[in-house]
Amino acid sequence: MSWIKAVGIGPGSLEHMTLQAMDALKECDVVVGYNTYLNLIKPIIQDKKIIGSGMRHEVSRCKKAIELANEGKKVCVISSGDPGIYGMAGLLLELSAKEGLDIKIEVIPGISAVNMAAALLGAPLMHDFALISLSDHLTPWEVIERRLDSAAQADFVIALYNPRSHERENHLDTALEIISKYKPKDTPVGIVKNASREGEKVIFTTLESVPIENIDMTSIVVIGNKNTFTIGGKMITPRGYKL
């Protein structure tokens, strides 16, 4: 029986992939994914048919997976982190629903980059937080600005995905300006680059001192709330327990 599984491969290292994800990749006939992510799991898919493509070919990858499943294949469509967080799960389900297909689609969760970043920083997400992507490829920048403003005004801990690229060099500057309207300049900020991958780096700083030039698309930026503090190389947001 054919199926499609949207598989979260975790943040990068194979040791952070779930057993369920490993099993799905063992059971499938074909693995479909972004070339960079396929390279991360190359050691465990060498006996599979592999279909890879570059950035911004997500729709074509999902359509190919559906085509293969209709041919009777068992297909894994991989996402880094978790497939339901800025990943491929939603797109697969949307396309299947739109075309009225009767294909079994299962979502296999994974450790998201924000989970990995939080673990490396300490415990910055112990209270309410907002996860916001600064990429305006699929979301208008005006909408992103409103979300940043609302999240900062409500004093959420804010985690930023896709903070800075060659195409969007100024988005992070603008985001920090918006957030700084509501959060003090000494608010703790944690930055993790290449979480669970080669070149991993952890930076602790404050809102007024974010090293923007050192941040890129492989970075996660976590901005604390009014209670967040840094001590002993750990960024901590109290949950509210009486100690």
Side-chain angles (χ1 to χ4, degrees):
M1 180 179 177
S2 65
W3 45 251
I4 299 175
K5 294 185 180 183
V7 178
I9 63 170
S13 172
L14 291 178
E15 68 181 349
H16 292 121
M17 190 185 300
T18 68
L19 292 176
Q20 188 182 23
M22 288 277 196
D23 288 343
L25 290 167
K26 289 177 183 176
E27 296 166 4
C28 72
D29 303 309
V30 187
V31 182
V32 178
Y34 174 45
N35 289 326
T36 298
Y37 303 154
L38 288 168
N39 287 333
L40 292 173
I41 62 170
K42 186 180 291 184
I44 61 172
I45 58 170
Q46 292 180 350
D47 61 337
K48 307 295 180 181
K49 179 177 180 180
I50 298 172
I51 297 177
S53 57
M55 290 181 65
R56 301 189 179 180
H57 292 279
E58 293 85 358
V59 174
S60 62
R61 286 200 293 272
C62 287
K63 286 184 175 180
K64 184 62 177 180
I66 289 172
E67 176 187 324
L68 290 166
N70 280 328
E71 293 173 0
K73 302 294 186 183
K74 297 175 182 178
V75 186
C76 282
V77 179
I78 64 166
S79 295
S80 69
D82 184 282
I85 301 177
Y86 302 126
M88 303 297 283
L91 180 53
L92 276 169
L93 293 169
E94 280 186 78
L95 285 170
S96 179
K98 182 179 178 181
E99 298 180 19
L101 301 176
D102 184 23
I103 298 174
K104 181 182 179 182
I105 299 178
E106 184 178 356
V107 179
I108 309 296
I111 297 174
S112 173
V114 74
N115 297 130
M116 193 70 225
L120 291 167
L121 291 169
L125 306 181
M126 289 299 297
H127 216 295
D128 300 335
F129 67 94
L131 182 57
I132 301 173
S133 170
L134 298 190
S135 171
D136 58 358
H137 174 52
L138 297 173
T139 305
W141 179 245
E142 296 76 18
V143 173
I144 296 171
E145 286 186 317
R146 289 200 302 272
R147 291 173 178 171
L148 289 165
D149 191 277
S150 296
Q153 187 172 6
D155 197 34
F156 281 94
V157 175
I158 300 173
L160 301 177
Y161 266 47
N162 306 314
R164 189 169 181 267
S165 71
H166 294 301
E167 295 180 1
R168 300 186 300 276
E169 290 189 348
N170 298 319
H171 280 17
L172 180 57
D173 300 79
T174 303
L176 295 175
E177 287 176 10
I178 293 170
I179 292 168
S180 295
K181 292 191 300 180
Y182 306 102
K183 292 180 180 287
K185 61 184 181 181
D186 61 350
T187 299
V189 174
I191 301 160
V192 178
K193 296 183 66 173
N194 295 306
S196 185
R197 302 182 191 182
E198 184 178 352
E200 179 183 278
K201 187 175 183 180
V202 178
I203 300 171
F204 295 95
T205 185
T206 60
L207 188 54
E208 68 173 344
S209 302
V210 174
I212 291 174
E213 295 301 320
N214 292 332
I215 295 172
D216 57 23
M217 289 291 283
T218 70
S219 307
I220 301 289
V221 180
V222 181
I223 302 159
N225 66 16
K226 66 181 180 181
N227 295 317
T228 303
F229 63 95
T230 303
I231 187 170
K234 299 294 182 183
M235 183 177 177
I236 304 166
T237 300
R239 182 70 179 91
Y241 297 108
K242 293 181 180 181
L243 304 179

